[in-house]
Amino acid sequence: MQPSSTGASVATSDALARPTLLPDSPRADGSLFADDRHRPGQRSFRRANLALFAAGIATFVLLYSTQGLLPVLSDDLGLTPGQASWTASAATLGLALGLLPASALSDRYGRTAVMTASTLAAAALALALPFAPDLTTLVVLRALQGAALAGLPATAMAYLAEEVHPSALASAMGLYVAGNSIGGMGGRLLSGWVAAGFGWRWGLAASAALALLAVLAFRLLIPAARHFAPAPVDARALARTVGRHLRNPLLLRLYALGLLFMAVFGAVYNTIGYRLIAAPFHLPESVAASIFVVYLVGTATSAAAGRLAGRLGRRGALYVAIGTTALGLLLSLADSLAFALLGLVLITAGFFAGHATASSAVGRTATEGRAQASALYLIAYYLGNSLGGTIGADAFHSTGWPGAATVGLAAMALAAGVTLYATHRAHAGSRRDKGLPGRLSAQ
């Protein structure tokens, strides 16, 4: 998961590819280098882990702070679900647009500098959100906040890859991703609960306060980078690398899958609160806001996706993810709270499984410029959130929950088509390699 599950680094692969000191590496004079990267048991290792955990919480508390209070925003400002959803979509759109520039700045000015500037700027904007006088101001501030937040997912894992010993890298990255998950859920829950009792402005203020505390903890804990080497920003080389990735058919299919899975997630989670407080359920707003606890399902399914892909292959895992998501959408159509909740669990599980499978395949597919390949995936991913969230909310406003569910089902139908096409190409290539008749060659 990036997902976060949603926060994979766009610079991790390049950072891993850089030469680093190995234990007991020989110097020219015959003596040995000491590998001073952070290891388990060291105070610096604990500080780095806790710092990135706190930064992940801050980033995703802020990114999703308005998603848990969309019904309250609609009531207070007289907005349709589609209009209110722009407060969530604008942030993910800003993040998508900021990823490549942030990764370039990280290579030039350093990981800790970009992470610090990113989280502080986003927290400062969060303090201004409760004072927004109207929807337009709120959406603009959220877009700027999303762009500011791009510095963390563009940089954090590269910092860990450079500063943490390889033997402990997996656990360190796992804790960072856990911070993303907890922040993503916590941002929705905190703002929703507070807004249910005191209004959306106080909900946003509570999220800002929590994020600011997490940012301060990050800044106090983060150890100084010792293995970062500045690199000049070569815009032409970056453009050439991006162009090559955009001409790679397999990468394009993976980007499309990331966009389509996230479109379902945005459509569902931007509208589920509206559905639960309306007929036939009539849940209190505070209870409806608690539905985001289901987000924890993603932690388990993201981990299981790797094992599933190992048994069924990447396309097999994608078929399971698509089928699970579609089944959840169909179950959610029933006017039964039990079926609606079961459907949401399946939608969440299918989304995280599909996202984990597609995102992990990007790094294996790209033979060069893996950082930029991952950046493009995340751009498509967050664009999918913005598009799906807005279109799903408009459909909900027009036809109720069946409209939002139809948007999700359409996205899954397209994802199935992309995966079926990939399967057809693979089978055609296999037949060609065996000398059997086949009309198409594999990519």
Side-chain angles (χ1 to χ4, degrees):
M1 170 177 75
Q2 268 284 25
S4 0
S5 22
T6 60
S9 169
V10 302
T12 306
S13 300
D14 287 356
L16 288 169
R18 291 175 183 165
T20 52
L21 297 179
L22 299 175
D24 301 330
S25 300
R27 296 178 186 267
D29 61 4
S31 62
L32 297 176
F33 283 114
D35 188 341
D36 62 351
R37 287 175 292 180
H38 311 307
R39 299 170 183 260
Q42 295 178 342
R43 184 168 179 266
S44 62
F45 178 77
R46 292 192 295 271
R47 286 172 61 96
N49 273 353
L50 289 173
L52 269 297
F53 179 79
I57 288 177
T59 298
F60 288 90
V61 161
L62 296 176
L63 185 63
Y64 293 112
S65 60
T66 63
Q67 196 172 55
L69 48 77
L70 296 182
V72 183
L73 276 171
S74 290
D75 288 343
D76 191 61
L77 299 179
L79 306 174
T80 67
Q83 290 171 324
S85 72
W86 270 107
T87 63
S89 298
T92 52
L93 181 61
L95 178 61
L97 297 177
L99 282 168
L100 278 175
S103 65
L105 290 173
S106 168
D107 286 340
R108 177 65 181 86
Y109 296 105
R111 314 303 186 201
T112 54
V114 169
M115 288 190 290
T116 300
S118 173
T119 51
L120 282 176
L125 287 165
L127 295 174
L129 288 176
F131 303 98
D134 52 38
L135 177 64
T136 300
T137 305
L138 187 57
V139 169
V140 170
L141 287 173
R142 288 286 288 157
L144 293 173
Q145 190 178 45
L149 286 170
L152 193 84
T155 303
M157 287 190 180
Y159 170 87
L160 290 174
E162 292 167 350
E163 303 299 327
V164 171
H165 191 271
S167 63
L169 188 55
S171 63
M173 288 189 175
L175 189 60
Y176 166 64
V177 172
N180 295 349
S181 300
I182 292 172
M185 181 187 70
R188 295 168 168 99
L189 290 175
L190 178 64
S191 61
W193 285 339
V194 174
F198 304 99
W200 64 270
R201 296 183 189 276
W202 282 106
L204 288 176
S207 293
L210 175 59
L212 187 59
L213 288 175
V215 170
L216 292 176
F218 160 76
R219 193 66 194 97
L220 291 172
L221 290 169
I222 190 72
R226 292 181 288 192
H227 298 284
F228 169 74
V233 178
D234 188 338
R236 291 183 178 179
L238 178 63
R240 287 193 297 270
T241 301
V242 169
R244 283 193 294 271
H245 291 328
L246 293 178
R247 292 190 296 272
N248 184 318
L250 179 52
L251 283 176
L252 287 177
R253 290 196 289 270
L254 293 172
Y255 298 156
L257 288 169
L259 184 150
L260 291 166
F261 273 108
M262 194 54 159
V264 177
F265 200 67
V268 167
Y269 275 91
N270 273 14
T271 56
I272 189 64
Y274 291 99
R275 189 192 187 202
L276 293 177
I277 65 175
F281 306 128
H282 298 293
L283 295 182
E285 288 179 347
S286 58
V287 176
S290 302
I291 199 65
F292 294 107
V293 171
V294 174
Y295 195 82
L296 289 175
V297 171
T299 302
T301 53
S302 293
R307 297 191 295 272
L308 185 65
R311 294 181 61 185
L312 303 178
R314 184 177 69 239
R315 288 185 296 276
L318 287 170
Y319 285 128
V320 171
I322 292 166
T324 301
T325 305
L327 177 60
L329 288 164
L330 292 171
L331 286 176
S332 73
L333 291 169
D335 286 336
S336 160
L337 185 58
F339 276 102
L341 295 178
L342 176 59
L344 188 62
V345 168
L346 292 176
I347 292 165
T348 305
F351 157 72
F352 276 106
H355 166 52
T357 302
S359 61
S360 64
V362 170
R364 294 194 298 271
T365 301
T367 57
E368 60 178 340
R370 290 188 176 93
Q372 288 72 39
S374 296
L376 291 171
Y377 176 84
L378 287 177
I379 289 170
Y381 175 80
Y382 285 114
L383 284 176
N385 183 291
S386 298
L387 291 172
T390 302
I391 295 171
D394 284 334
F396 179 88
H397 180 62
S398 299
T399 59
W401 182 254
T406 299
V407 171
L409 287 169
M412 287 298 91
L414 290 172
V418 170
T419 310
L420 283 168
Y421 177 77
T423 301
H424 174 68
R425 300 290 289 182
H427 287 170
S430 177
R431 290 174 64 86
R432 183 201 61 186
D433 292 341
K434 294 177 181 179
L436 297 174
R439 290 179 296 174
L440 294 174
S441 60
Q443 289 290 350

